[in-house]
Amino acid sequence: MRRAGVFVLLGTLAHGSLAASKSLPRGVGPEFSAFYESKATFKCIGNPSIALKSSQINDNSCDCPDGSDEPGTAACAHLDPLSPEQPLLGSPTGTTNTTRALPGFWCANDGHIGSYIPFMYVDDGVCDYELCCDGSDESAHAGGVVCENRCGSIGKEWRRLEEERRQSVERSVKRRQTLVKEARELRRKVEVKITSLKGELESLEAKKEELEKKFEEVQRSERGKVVKGEGRGGKLGVLAGLAKTRVSELRDTLDKVLDQRDDLQDRVEQLEGILTKFREDYNPNFNDEGVKAAVKSWEDYAASATGDKKSELADADIMEVLKEDGESSGINWAEFEEEGASDAAVVYHLEAYLPGFVRDYIHTKINVLRVWLIENGVLADNPDSDGESRLVIAAREALETAKNDISSKTTALEEQKGDLQKDYGPDDIFRAFKGKCVSTDVGEYEYELCWVDKTTQKSKKGHGNTNMGNFVRIDRELADEEERADGKGLGKGQRIVLRYDNGQGCWNGPSRRTHVWLACAETDEVWRVSESEKCVYKMEVGTPAACEAVQEPGVRAKDEL
Amino acid sequence: MLVSSPLSGKWTASLCLLSTLCTLWTPAVSVKEHDFKKCDQSGFCKRNRVFADNAGASSSWESPYNILPESRSFKDGQFQAIVLKTINAKGDTVRLPLTVSFLESGTARVTVDEEKRQNKEIELRYDSKVRKERYNEAEEWVVVGGLGLDKEATVGFEDKSQTTVKYGPSSAFEAVIKLSPFTIDFKRDGESQIKFNDRGLLNVEHWRPKIEQPETEKKEGEGDGGEKKEETTLENKEGSSSSGEDESTWWDESFGGNTDTKPRGPESIALDISFSGFDHVYGIPSHAGPLSLRETRGGEGKYSEPYRLYNADVFEYILDSPMTLYGAIPFMQAHRKGSSVGVFWLNAAETWIDIIKAKDWRNPLSLGGSSKTSTHTHWFSESGLLDVFVFLGPTPQDLTKKYGELTGYTAMPQEFALGYHQCRWNYVSDEDVRDVDRKMDKSNLPYDVIWLDIEYTDEKKYFTWDKHTFPDPIGMGKQLDNHGRKLVTIIDPHIKNAEGYQVVTELKSKEHAVKNKEGSIFEGWCWPGSSHWIDAFSPAAREWWATLFKYDSFKGTMKNTWIWNDMNEPSVFNGPETTMPKDNIHYGGWEHRDVHNLNGMTFHNATHHAVKSREPGELQRPFVLTRSFFSGSQRVGAMWTGDNQAAWDHLHASFPMILSQGISGFPFSGADVGGFFGNPEKDLQTRWYQAGAFYPFFRGHAHIDSRRREPYLAGEPYTSIIAAALRLRYSLLPSWYTAFHQAYVDGTPIIKPMFYTHPGEEAGYDIDDQFFVGNTGLLAKPVTEQDKVTAEIWIPDNEVYYDYFTYKTIPTSKGKRAAIDAPLQKIPLLMQGGHIFARRDRPRRSSSLMKWDDYTLVVTIGRDGGKSAEGDLYVDDGESYDFEKGQYIHRKFVLNGEATTISSTDAESRDPSSVKEGDWMKKMHDVKVDRIVIVGAPASWAKKQATVESEGKSWPASLDYSAAAHGRASFATVKKVGARIGADWKVVVS
C-alpha cells in the first residue's frame, strides 16, 4: 500500500489524534477544527460575512457558497465544476462551478490511517471501508444503513500485509542489486570490448597507412618494370577474358537474384499460410466488409494458382546456368585460354592442394617470398597477369584486407558504442535481461516476453506464433490499480512501461503493440496479459528490475501509527 | 478446410467445398443497401405498386370490391358484411368477410378475411403442412385491451348504397361505409378525416390453384424453355383470370440465392388510406429518416421506394432512407391544425407503405381556388389479414393514449435503467469489468450498468461463461452490486449447434426450435456458426426458455444481472436478407412470412418473463433490451436504434428516430452513444454524451474493432464535460422517472416533438431536432453538428424561457428561433415558464445510491408573472412491483402566485390512510424537500423568510432573493424546506 492513494491520507495523519478528542461536527478534518469550535455561530470558511447558527452545521442543507457548513453530509457535494452549473451568489464564480473549502469528509479511522473521502460518498448507503474503515461515512440516514467500525481488523490486516510487502520488497531490492551488478559487469565488458576494439583499430590504421605507402611504392617501382605482355590468345583471348569476367558477374547477380527470389517465395508461402489459416478461422459472421472482400480475393487468387511446377523447372535451368564453368558444364574457358605453364604458376598452384588453414598460411608466406624473390630479381614477375604485376596485386590485397578489417572492427565498435548508449533503463538494469524471456499461459495461448527484444503470442492449438511487437523504448506511466492480496498487481504510482511496437499487422487494423507494465516483485513473472482493444496488448509483469525507489513515504508513515 | 499448400491434391476438393460455402455466404458478403430488397425485388410489393399505377393511369378505374348489400348486419357495435371481389370478366367473385368493430375507446377496427382460406378450402403446394388460413393471431401477441365494443354505436343511416355508423365520444365520429365500390370514410364532427379505398387500391390476393405447365411443352422448348414458359403461363392465366397480371412472383421467388417456395401462392393484402387535408404524417418506425415522413414515389427531396417494415439486421445502415431497420411499428398518424388522426395496421408480415401528398381541389367553386394538401398512403403486406385500427383523435395525446390502450403502455422500468449504461463489444474479462467500474468512480463518472456483449460466452454458447476470461462472474457481480450497479449480459435467439451443449441438446430434443419448410429443425448461421433458433411463439418453448435463466441454471448470474436480446429480427447470416427463409415454419403451423415482424417481440417477451422471477418468491421489474421489436414491445423493455456509426450525421439522425419511437408508443429508446462503428473524435464523443443525456435509454457502446473509449479515456476537458452531462442526467432522474411513469399511465412520449406539444403550430411540424422532456417544460436541442457553438431553438409559444444553467431570460418570440450560445461544454437547454420539476442535486456514483437523497424543486415563473406554475413527481422503490399496490409517492406541486404559496398534494387525491405504508414508504419519511428554487421570482419573493406548513406543524425557512442582473432573471431560493417529500406541505411567502 505504499501507493499514491495512501499518500493523500498521510499528510494530516500526525494531527489526527490531537483533534479527535474534541467534539467536532461530523466529518471535520483536524486541520479545520478551529473553524468549528465556536458554539454560537459559524462563519462560512470562504465567506466569513455569512454567519450561520451552529444548528445549521450538518443540517443536511447547503448554506455556505463554499460548502463549509456541511462537513459531514453530502448536501454541498454538488458545489464543484463537474455538476451542472447553476447560479450561486457568494461563490467566487457566482455559480456552483466553484471550489469547496473542505477537501472532503474526514474519516478519523482510529487504529488505521485517517483519510478524507469525497462528500458524495457520504450517506449514500454504502460503507466505503477501503477509505473509511471506521464506517463514519454513513449516519443511518440513507435507508438506514449503519456501518460498523472495522479499523481494528482492517488496520491489523493492512499492517500485516504491509510488513509482508516490506520484506518482499527488501528481498526484491537485494535481487535487483544483484541484477544491477550483473548489468554493470555486462556494461564493463562492453567497455572493455570497446577499448580493445579501439586499440586494434589504432594499430590497424597504422598498418593500413604503412600498407598504403608500400602499395604506392610498389606501384611506382613496378610501373617501370612491368612488361606489358600482349596476353595470350590475342584478341580472342582478351575477349574471352572479358567475357569470363562478365559471365561470372552475371552469374553472381543471378545467384543473388535467386536467393532473393527464394526469400520472397518463402515469404509468399508464409503469407499464403497465414491467409489460408485466416480463411479457415475467420468468423464469416462479423459482417466486416473488409475481411469478407479480402477472403473473396484470396479465394479467387488461390483458385487461379496453378501450382509452381513451372518455377521448379525453371529452377533446374537456373541451377544449370549457375554451375561453375568447367569442362563438364557451361563454357570451358580453358579451351579459349590455353593454359601456359610457367615456373611461377607451379608455385601458385601448389597452394590448391593444401588444407584451408595451411593454404592461408602458405599463401601469405609464399606471397612474401614471391615478392621478395621478384624484388630481388630472382624471380621474374608473373608474366601471366593481366597487366598488373604480382607485386602490385599482393600489395593491393594486403591493403584491402587491412581496410576490410578496419571497417568490420569499426562496425563492431559502433555496435558496442550504440549498445552503451542504448537506454537499458535505470541503472542499466535491463542489460542484465538481454536474451532472456518469460512467459505465461492464458487460455489457449502462451504469451512470451523477451525483455528488450519482442513479445509473442504462441498458440497452443498449433496456429503458429504471432509477433505482438518489437521493443522500442522504455517509458514511465502512472498506474492506478487496485491493490491485490497476492501483491501481483501494478498498484498505484509511476511504473516502468516497456513499449513494443510494429508487431504482426492486424486485419483491417494497425500492427500489434504491447505495453509491458512492470511492477516490483521478487521474481520475473508475467502476471496478466489483456487485449483491452483489438491488437493492443497489455502485459503486467513482476520483476525485481522494477524495485527502485524504495523509500516510499508509505512505509515510513506506517511506523508512526 | 483449405489446405496450406496449393500443390496439394486436396486442392480441388477444397475448392468445391469453398464454392459451396461461398454460396452460403452470399447474402452476408456484401451488406448495405443491395442486400435488402427494393420494392421491385419483392413480388407482392411490385405487384401492388403496379396495381396502383394501373389504377392511377386509367380514368375509368373501378375497384372490383363491392359489399353484398344483403350480407350487411350491425349488432353490438359491430358491422359485418361480405365483400365480393370480382376476379374476372365473367364476373366470378371471391367472398371476403368484412368486420368493422366500433370500440368503446372511440377506435374503429376494420378486418377483412378471405372465406375460402378461412374455411381451409384451399390446397397447398408441395404437400406443405402449414396452415391454410390467413394469419389471424397477431392480435394475441399485440393487443392487450381496449377491444370492448361500443354498444352505443348506432347505424345513423342506411340505404342500398351505404351504411353510416355513428360512434365514439358523444357520437362525434362517423364511418360512412359505401357498398359499391367498397369504401369507408371516417369522419369526425362531420368532417372527413381518413378514407379507405378512396383510390380503389384495395387488393386481397385470393387463393387460386397454380395451373401447372403441361410437361410436354416444357420438353419441347428445352432450348429456350424460359421464354416459352412465360408465354405459356401468360396464356394459361388469361384463360383463368381477367386481368393481365404478372404471375412471375406468384409461386416462388428468389433473392440473393435463396428461393422462397410459396405453398399458398400469392396472398398479399393492400389498401389505400387517405388522410384528408393532412400534409404531415408521422410514425411507422423504425427508419433512419426525418420525423415527418417523406413522399415515396420519387421527385426532389422524396424517396422513390416505399417505407418498408421487415425487421432486419441492417449492417451500417444508411441515413435518410425508407429502408427497413430492426423493428416495426405499423402505426401512422397524421396531423394538421386542429386534428390528429391515425391508423394502426395490424399485420406482422413484410409490409411496405407508399406515401404521396397531393393538393385537394375538393371545392373547385370556392374563390381563389384555395386548396388543402392531403396525404395518400398505400399499404401492402405479404400475407395475413387486412386488419386496421382507426383513431380519430383529435389530439396527438388521444392517439398515443388510444394506441396504448390497445397495445399496452411502456412498462414501468427499474429506476437504474434510466441511468447511464456503459457498454462495449467487448469487456474482455471480469477483471476488465472491475477495472472499468473502478475507473468510472475514480473519474467521477456516475453510471448504473455495465454490459457484456457476446464474447463473455464460451464460444458463443449462451448461458455459459468463457472460463479463461470470466473465471469469477459472481465476484464481478458483487463488486458492481457494492455501488448498486447492474450487469447486463447478452443472450441471443440463435443457439449454437455444438456437441455437448446442453441448451442446444434440449432445444432439439424438446422440439422448441423453428423448423424449415420440410418440417425439420432449421439450421442457419449466426455468431456461433451453425445454429438453431428458439421458436418463442411456442408456449412450451417459452417455458423452457425461462428455466435457462434460473440462478442455478445460468450460473454466474445474480439478482443484478439483466439481459440484452440482440439479433432477434432474427438475424441469420446466410438467410435471405440476413434473416430467416419465409417458408420456415413456426409453432402452430404458421409460416415465418406470416409472423416475421413479431418474431423479435416474442423472443424479447419470453426473456422478459424469464427474468421476472428467477427464483421462487422473487419478483423484479425486468430489464431486457431488444433490437427487434413490434407494436407491443414497449410492454417488456427498451430498444435501441441498432448499429449506427461514429459520425456527426448519425448523431443528428438519432433524435428523429427516438422521437418517432416516442410518438409510436415505444418511447424507451436510445441510440448508441459515441456511435457503434468507428472511432469518434473527442468533440463528437462529448457532444454525443450531451445528446445521450436526453435519450430515454442512455447507453454508450462501441464495436469490437474500435478503440477503447470509456469516458475517462477522453482526457480533459472532455472527460469533465462528459461527467457534467452525466450528472445533469442523474440530477434530473426524478423528472425522467416521472415522465416514464406518465408513459406507463397513458403512453405519453418521454421526449416530445414540437407537433406533439404544440399541435396548433404548423411551423413546428417538421422540427425533429429539439424536444420537451416529460412535463418539466425543459426544452432541449443538443448540438449535433461539428464545430457548432450556437443552437437556434425554435420557440413554439409566448411563454418565458430561461437558460437552464444561467437562468438568463432568453429573448424569444413565438415561432422564431432563439440563438443560444453552445460552446462544447454547454448543452442548449431551456426552461419554459410555468413549470415545477424535481431534481436530486447530490452527485452520486449510481442512481440507487441517490435513493434516499433530498429533493430540489425548481419553479419557473411564466409569462403570467408567477400567478401559476405546476408540476408533478412520481417516486417508488424503483425496482419491485409494490407500486401496483399503492406503494408510491405521486405529488402534484402548484404555485399560487396570488397567495404566493407553493403546495404539494397527492397527485391522485388519494387518501393517505388508504395505503398501508411498506418498508420503502416508511424509509421515505426521511427524504425531504431540501430547497426550492424559483427562477424568475417576482419581487414579492424578496423576503428573508418563508413559512413551511406540513403535517400540522409550521416552521420558518430562510429565503434568499437575487434580483435580476446582467440578463439573468431574478431568482429566489427557499432553503431547508424540510418537509417530507411524501407529505402534503405548503410554503408560504407573506
Side-chain angles (χ1 to χ4, degrees), chain A residues 96 107 134 149 159 173 215 240 249 273 281 287 294 350 365 495:
Chain A
T96 52
C107 292
D134 64 9
N149 185 334
R159 284 187 293 275
V173 166
F215 174 59
E249 267 173 34
D281 293 353
N287 269 347
L350 176 67
K365 289 294 167 195
R495 297 287 175 266

Side-chain angles (χ1 to χ4, degrees), chain B residues 539-586:
Chain B
R542 295 200 301 275
E543 246 171 66
W544 166 74
W545 188 246
T547 65
L548 302 177
F549 289 87
K550 303 287 179 202
Y551 298 122
D552 55 4
S553 175
F554 188 1
K555 293 212 169 63
T557 60
M558 302 168 43
K559 221 179 152 181
N560 67 342
T561 312
W562 297 104
I563 303 298
W564 170 16
N565 285 161
D566 196 2
M567 317 299 278
N568 50 338
E569 294 77 17
S571 177
V572 179
F573 292 148
N574 58 337
E577 301 193 87
T578 328
T579 190
M580 261 183 197
K582 282 176 169 167
D583 44 14
N584 267 8
I585 304 170
H586 286 266

Side-chain angles (χ1 to χ4, degrees), chain B residues 285-296:
Chain B
S286 178
H287 298 99
L291 181 63
S292 173
L293 303 174
R294 291 194 200 285
E295 292 181 58
T296 61

Side-chain angles (χ1 to χ4, degrees), chain A residues 61 86 89 120 280 285 287, chain B residues 2 526 573 807 844 930 962:
Chain A
S61 191
Q86 295 283 284
L89 296 188
M120 57 185 266
E280 285 168 8
N285 310 326
N287 269 347
Chain B
L2 265 182
C526 205
F573 292 148
Y807 301 175
R844 297 293 193 189
D930 180 11
S962 312

Side-chain angles (χ1 to χ4, degrees), chain A residues 5 56 59-64 73-89 95 118-126 128 130-131 137 140-145 269 272-273 275-276 279-280 282-289 292-293 295-296 298-299 301-309 442-444 461 480-482 484 492 507-508 513 528 530-534 538, chain B residues 1-4 6-7 11 15 18 21-22 25 28-32 313 315-316 424-426 428 431-432 434-435 438-439 441-444 454-455 459-460 468 479 482-483 525-529 573 578 703-708 719-721 723-725 727-728 731 804-807 839 841-845 848-850 852-854 858 923 926-927 930-931 958 961-962 968 971 975-977:
Chain A
Q56 285 175 277
D59 69 346
N60 206 23
S61 191
C62 193
D63 292 298
C64 292
T73 77
C76 298
H78 64 290
L79 301 181
D80 76 8
L82 295 182
S83 284
E85 188 178 298
Q86 295 283 284
L88 176 67
L89 296 188
T95 73
F119 283 118
M120 57 185 266
Y121 292 8
V122 177
D123 291 342
D124 63 352
V126 174
D128 287 286
E130 325 82 86
L131 299 168
D137 55 328
H141 168 79
V145 171
E269 258 160 32
E272 288 184 343
L275 281 168
T276 306
R279 162 68 184 68
E280 285 168 8
Y282 95 107
N283 185 339
N285 310 326
F286 275 71
N287 269 347
D288 187 323
E289 275 301 276
K292 280 172 183 161
V295 171
K296 187 75 188 51
W298 158 243
E299 286 162 357
Y301 164 82
S304 69
T306 52
D308 39 8
K309 288 227 162 95
V442 180
E444 57 179 290
K461 291 184 182 168
D480 178 17
E481 292 190 5
E482 215 165 359
R484 287 167 189 274
K492 299 179 180 68
W507 279 104
N508 255 358
R513 287 181 291 154
R528 265 171 298 282
S530 57
E531 186 185 7
S532 62
E533 71 184 69
K534 255 198 161 177
K538 180 181 184 183
Chain B
M1 286 156 257
L2 265 182
V3 278
S4 52
L7 283 171
W11 183 235
L15 266 181
L18 203 153
L21 285 171
C22 284
W25 293 333
V29 164
S30 43
V31 252
K32 296 193 178 167
D313 180 359
F315 170 73
E316 291 187 350
R424 174 179 176 79
W425 175 23
N426 219 102
V428 296
E431 288 278 353
D432 193 6
R434 284 162 175 261
D435 188 51
R438 261 172 17 83
K439 284 181 174 148
D441 280 342
K442 201 98 199 161
S443 304
N444 290 303
I454 50 177
E455 312 296 331
E459 298 182 317
K460 316 292 186 299
H468 295 300
Q479 178 180 322
N482 283 343
H483 295 151
W525 280 62
C526 205
W527 298 126
F573 292 148
T578 328
H703 188 267
I704 194 165
D705 285 339
S706 67
R707 287 194 287 274
R708 292 293 285 240
T719 298
S720 288
I721 298 173
R727 280 197 184 176
L728 176 67
S731 68
Y804 182 86
F805 302 99
T806 63
Y807 301 175
R839 299 195 309 219
D841 283 345
R842 289 163 204 202
R844 297 293 193 189
R845 286 169 283 190
S848 75
L849 303 193
M850 301 171 81
W852 313 110
D853 280 342
D854 290 352
V858 180
K923 284 182 178 171
D926 286 338
V927 179
D930 180 11
R931 285 175 301 150
S958 70
Y961 183 81
S962 312
R968 177 183 46 69
F971 69 98
K975 290 183 165 175
K976 194 161 171 68
V977 175

